[in-house]
Amino acid sequence: MVERQRADARRNYARILTVAEEEVAARGADASLEQIARTAGVGSATVRRHFPTRRALLEAVSRTRIAALSARAAELAGRGDSRDALLEWLGEVVAYCVSARGLAVALSYDDSAADPVHENSCARSLEDAGGPLLHHAVRDGAVAADVTVGDLITLAVGIVLATEHRGDPAAEADRLFRLAVKGLSPTAPKP
């Protein structure tokens, strides 16, 4: 019977996650946990057992997207101009956050008050992935030395959250990102 319960729990988890991905895609980070439970055919207590907080659910929904962005950072790390590689990746983070409703919210949780069991694994994963890109850009003098990956993720999240209710969020987020990029790179003194 224990084996059956484990299999049931795994099936419930997978079903809840599939429904949650659809609900978050349709309604964003405020998707109803009760609606997710009803659609998945489980009780709300089952949802909360697997995902004790909304943050835990958003992070689970975003895990695949975060893995893809992390892989992309690794692909860009040793390639071409370090500034271009960093900005290409960060532009993809912005675009992903616009298209993957809920991802920006998952990245925006503050870790300073977080309990260690539920730390912001999405943001941590992206910070780890972007570290080599930023390191190379700083080393090459293409980005100011005091910029952190956390700063860049915060910038991306802020842009996405500020533009999510505009007529064309993707275009507006990209425009603001390009505007912000002009301030990230050190400028050569004018003669």
Side-chain angles (χ1 to χ4, degrees), residues 2-180:
V2 172
E3 292 289 324
R4 184 171 183 270
Q5 287 176 339
R6 288 187 199 157
D8 285 351
R10 284 192 302 271
R11 279 194 301 277
N12 284 343
Y13 179 89
R15 190 169 45 244
I16 292 165
L17 191 55
T18 297
V19 170
E21 287 171 349
E22 293 167 4
E23 287 293 314
V24 170
R27 290 171 184 72
D30 293 327
S32 166
L33 298 179
E34 288 73 25
Q35 180 61 41
I36 291 168
R38 277 191 298 276
T39 304
V42 299
S44 59
T46 301
V47 172
R48 293 190 196 293
R49 188 170 32 258
H50 288 289
F51 305 102
T53 64
R54 178 173 300 279
R55 172 182 171 174
L57 179 68
L58 289 173
E59 288 194 19
V61 165
S62 302
R63 202 165 281 132
T64 301
R65 293 178 179 112
I66 296 297
L69 287 169
S70 296
R72 182 67 173 139
E75 179 183 311
L76 290 169
R79 204 176 77 166
D81 180 275
S82 61
R83 179 181 185 275
D84 289 346
L86 176 65
L87 294 179
E88 183 175 338
W89 178 73
L90 193 58
E92 290 177 23
V93 170
V94 170
Y96 237 149
C97 285
V98 169
S99 68
R101 297 186 68 190
L103 179 55
V105 172
L107 292 172
S108 69
Y109 285 107
D110 179 15
D111 271 345
S112 63
D115 69 73
V117 174
H118 297 107
E119 73 175 20
N120 192 339
S121 62
C122 288
R124 180 87 54 234
S125 293
L126 281 185
E127 287 181 26
D128 291 346
L133 290 169
L134 179 60
H135 173 76
H136 291 130
V138 168
R139 179 198 64 208
D140 295 345
V143 173
D146 61 343
V147 173
T148 68
V149 179
D151 295 338
L152 299 176
I153 299 302
T154 300
L155 176 65
V157 166
I159 288 170
V160 171
L161 292 176
T163 59
E164 71 181 348
H165 298 293
R166 304 243 177 121
D168 187 351
E172 191 64 17
D174 184 62
R175 185 186 73 74
L176 288 177
F177 171 67
R178 300 291 161 211
L179 179 66

